[in-house]
Amino acid sequence: MTATPDLGTYQLASPDLLRSTFRRHAAGVAVITARGAAGPVGFTATSLTSVSAEPPLVSFGIGIGASSWPAIAETDHVGIHVLGEHQGELAATFARSGADRFGAPTAWREGPEGVPVLDDVLAWLVCRVVGRVPAGDHRIVLAEVVLGDPSGSGRPLLYHQGRFNGLRD
């Protein structure tokens, strides 16, 4: 049985309402990487979405104030990495402002199209950026899958209630 919402307790639309609502929505955790003019860039994303199978397209959101945005705005290719539950610290590193995201202990290598590819992830893709759509203070990036490797083992890392969590049975 589900609870009937009390319509007398609603809130008007606001950034806080949106944040509070989506803190309750469990999401998979990915790291998006790119080659920037000054070196590799990357950030943690919970907005990764499969868009189309034919052609294979994905999307993710990025704030235009993010330190990675200038590189993402200019690059032709991005790396997408699906993180495992053992990678909470890696997710936190790529989410932290001012962190040395590609320094030790982050393990990575230069992959196809010069995209930084992270080691030990559940799956990774290299994608060609095909569009950047304005969406408020963010951009929705559409990218076509070029190649990848889905053979990593383990269970996914999730983001829920402001924390990184493993999947429970």
Side-chain angles (χ1 to χ4, degrees):
M1 181 173 175
T2 60
T4 303
D6 179 358
L7 296 180
T9 62
Y10 62 86
Q11 298 176 30
L12 294 177
S14 70
D16 286 339
L17 173 62
L18 188 66
R19 285 186 198 101
S20 295
T21 299
F22 275 87
R23 284 176 68 91
R24 296 173 180 269
H25 174 70
V29 180
V31 168
I32 311 299
T33 61
R35 181 177 54 193
V41 301
F43 65 98
T44 299
T46 57
S47 60
L48 179 64
T49 303
S50 171
V51 174
S52 169
E54 191 57 46
L57 294 172
V58 297
S59 71
F60 59 88
I62 180 171
I64 58 174
S67 62
S68 296
W69 171 242
I72 300 294
E74 297 295 325
T75 193
D76 292 330
H77 291 85
V78 295
I80 296 176
H81 307 83
V82 177
L83 300 189
E85 65 184 354
H86 64 288
Q87 295 178 303
E89 276 303 311
L90 181 67
T93 296
F94 276 84
R96 205 170 17 254
S97 181
D100 180 5
R101 296 172 178 158
F102 290 90
T106 301
W108 66 281
R109 63 197 178 286
E110 184 173 316
E113 303 296 340
V115 171
V117 175
L118 303 176
D119 291 346
D120 197 30
V121 295
L122 297 185
W124 61 267
L125 301 169
V126 171
C127 302
R128 182 177 60 83
V129 175
V130 296
R132 295 170 184 87
V133 181
D137 61 356
H138 278 62
R139 295 297 180 266
I140 305 301
V141 178
L142 292 168
E144 184 173 8
V145 176
V146 175
L147 55 88
D149 181 358
S151 66
S153 62
R155 295 161 58 100
L157 183 64
L158 300 177
Y159 186 74
H160 181 252
Q161 292 288 34
R163 293 183 27 225
F164 298 113
N165 299 282
L167 184 65
R168 293 189 196 139
D169 289 328

